[in-house]
Amino acid sequence: MKRDKVIGQGYHHRAGLPHAEIEALRATVGSARGATLYVNLEPCSHYGRTPPCVDAIVKAGITRVVCCTPDPNPKVCSRAIKRLRQAGVSVSVGGLVEEAESLNEAFFAFHHQHRPFIAIKFAASLDGKIATSSHDSQWITNEQARNFARNLRRQYQAVLVGINTILRDNPHLGVRAPGKPDPLRIVLDSTLRLPMTSQVLRDKNALIFTTRRGNPTKRQQLIRKGISLVVSPRDFISLRTVMKELARREIISIFVEGGGTVLGSLVDAGLVDKVYAFYAPILIGGKTAVSAVGGEGAPILSRALRLTKVFKKTFGDNILIGGYTANNNKKIRSARHGS
């Protein structure tokens, strides 16, 4: 902002690319010297995947920075503010804090919880089934709802599914939009039943979690294909270990698309932060039909996972009900995934 006019705007497109401040400076019309920079989050002050934004701000001659909130990353928190002030830049902090934290919900959750922000999604009948007893599931919801759900993948760094979803549906798990990068595809597969012709293996942008029970021949095939593998020395996949490994890889957010066994394991472990539940006006019924959320479940209603900040959206006769859980600051419970 300069002389009450916007002279440049920008946003952070994805991890590894220039931050919003750099994009805004590059888009500036004329000189940024003497301008005010408005950002929702404190600029970075350290070398990570990109150089420090603070250096670029000072070099550009920005005289004032207004940011909603300090960066929750301990490598940055308030250090950039201090450096800017030392360089003679006026810094104002505060205002629209809740909006800024909501805009960066995954980033804040990652640094507060030391694990990825986890959103789960399912498409179900009114009686909570995601497939019939014969595992027929295509399609429960309408095309409009499915397109909306597919576009949600763009908001997350990774998409995660269990092996049963791969075997039954052979999902693509991409955004299917020209020029738009796909999220990392993560599969939980204890014994490596994953077919080499699966769509998730169409390129190297995949990560497979397995165990010592994993088929050794399949393991070598995946390695030769350039697919990343994480092998548990035990007979099951520990969700705690999965989260620790993903945090190590700086995967900030995950969109989990099923199936019911994986969703149940995450709910039981207290690892769900956000829910997208799509419903179609049909009843499937059947004792052996597949439920949206498996696992052990809540023994009593008072321990059931309850959503807050609930939102709704309709797609013709389909409806999305979503919201946040109260698990954000809870300790991860011990849990395993064995499919």
Side-chain angles (χ1 to χ4, degrees):
M1 197 84 163
K2 188 173 181 179
R3 299 188 186 95
D4 297 326
K5 292 184 179 180
V6 176
I7 60 172
Q9 301 179 72
Y11 68 96
H12 186 203
H13 293 262
R14 64 185 175 93
L17 294 182
H19 291 174
E21 297 88 336
I22 305 303
E23 292 284 1
L25 287 171
R26 289 177 177 177
T28 297
V29 177
S31 172
R33 188 164 298 280
T36 297
L37 175 67
Y38 292 88
V39 289
N40 61 71
L41 191 67
E42 174 185 6
C44 68
S45 59
H46 70 295
Y47 278 90
R49 298 183 184 180
T50 60
C53 290
V54 167
D55 295 349
I57 293 169
V58 173
K59 184 178 180 180
I62 299 289
T63 55
R64 185 183 179 214
V65 172
V66 178
C67 66
C68 298
T69 176
D71 193 316
N73 185 344
K75 295 179 180 179
V76 179
C77 190
S78 298
R79 295 182 185 181
I81 296 170
K82 181 179 180 180
R83 282 186 57 185
L84 287 169
R85 287 172 174 164
Q86 288 174 340
V89 179
S90 173
V91 182
S92 300
V93 183
L96 301 176
V97 175
E98 289 187 7
E99 290 85 348
E101 290 183 349
S102 176
L103 187 63
N104 299 285
E105 61 184 10
F107 186 72
F108 274 85
F110 179 81
H111 287 290
H112 289 158
Q113 301 174 166
H114 309 294
R115 65 162 176 83
F117 178 87
I118 299 175
I120 66 171
K121 166 260 176 181
F122 59 83
S125 60
L126 291 180
D127 54 340
K129 305 297 184 180
I130 59 174
T132 67
S133 57
S134 64
H135 300 294
D136 181 22
S137 62
Q138 297 183 354
W139 299 99
I140 291 177
T141 50
N142 62 29
E143 186 175 0
Q144 189 180 357
R146 296 198 303 273
N147 287 337
F148 182 87
R150 185 181 302 119
N151 285 330
L152 288 173
R153 295 170 185 165
R154 299 186 189 184
Q155 301 178 21
Y156 297 86
Q157 275 186 273
V159 176
L160 184 149
V161 296
I163 183 59
N164 289 332
T165 296
I166 299 294
L167 295 176
R168 292 168 184 166
D169 300 334
N170 189 23
H172 183 273
L173 300 183
V175 298
R176 295 180 184 269
K180 299 293 184 180
D182 283 343
L184 173 69
R185 301 179 294 276
I186 302 172
V187 180
L188 305 184
D189 184 2
S190 299
T191 57
L192 285 184
R193 293 182 289 157
L194 181 67
M196 295 302 295
T197 55
S198 299
Q199 291 194 85
V200 293
L201 299 180
R202 62 185 177 274
D203 57 37
K204 297 179 183 179
N205 189 33
L207 173 62
I208 314 300
F209 283 89
T210 188
T211 71
R212 63 183 180 183
R213 296 187 293 131
N215 184 308
T217 301
K218 184 70 65 65
R219 186 188 304 181
Q220 290 304 313
Q221 289 176 330
L222 290 167
I223 291 173
R224 285 196 296 270
K225 193 176 177 66
I227 303 298
S228 296
L229 283 171
V230 177
V231 182
S232 169
R234 294 180 282 187
D235 291 339
F236 61 90
I237 297 172
S238 165
L239 293 180
R240 184 189 298 273
T241 300
V242 170
M243 294 304 128
K244 184 176 180 179
E245 175 62 21
L246 294 177
R248 186 189 71 79
R249 293 172 181 250
E250 297 185 333
I251 302 298
I252 290 175
S253 60
I254 304 173
F255 190 54
V256 185
E257 297 201 38
T261 300
V262 171
L263 298 185
S265 297
L266 291 169
V267 170
D268 288 344
L271 286 171
V272 177
D273 299 299
K274 192 173 186 177
V275 176
Y276 296 94
F278 294 83
Y279 290 98
I282 61 172
L283 296 174
I284 291 177
K287 293 181 179 180
T288 59
V290 185
S291 296
V293 180
E296 296 180 6
I300 53 177
L301 282 178
S302 62
R303 292 179 61 182
L305 190 64
R306 188 171 296 275
L307 302 186
T308 62
K309 299 180 182 178
V310 174
F311 54 87
K312 302 175 184 177
K313 188 175 179 65
T314 58
F315 309 92
D317 62 0
N318 285 201
I319 185 170
L320 162 65
I321 299 178
Y324 295 82
T325 72
N327 288 333
N328 297 56
N329 296 312
K330 288 184 178 180
K331 185 177 180 181
I332 298 176
R333 296 192 289 273
S334 178
R336 62 177 66 183
H337 178 76
S339 67

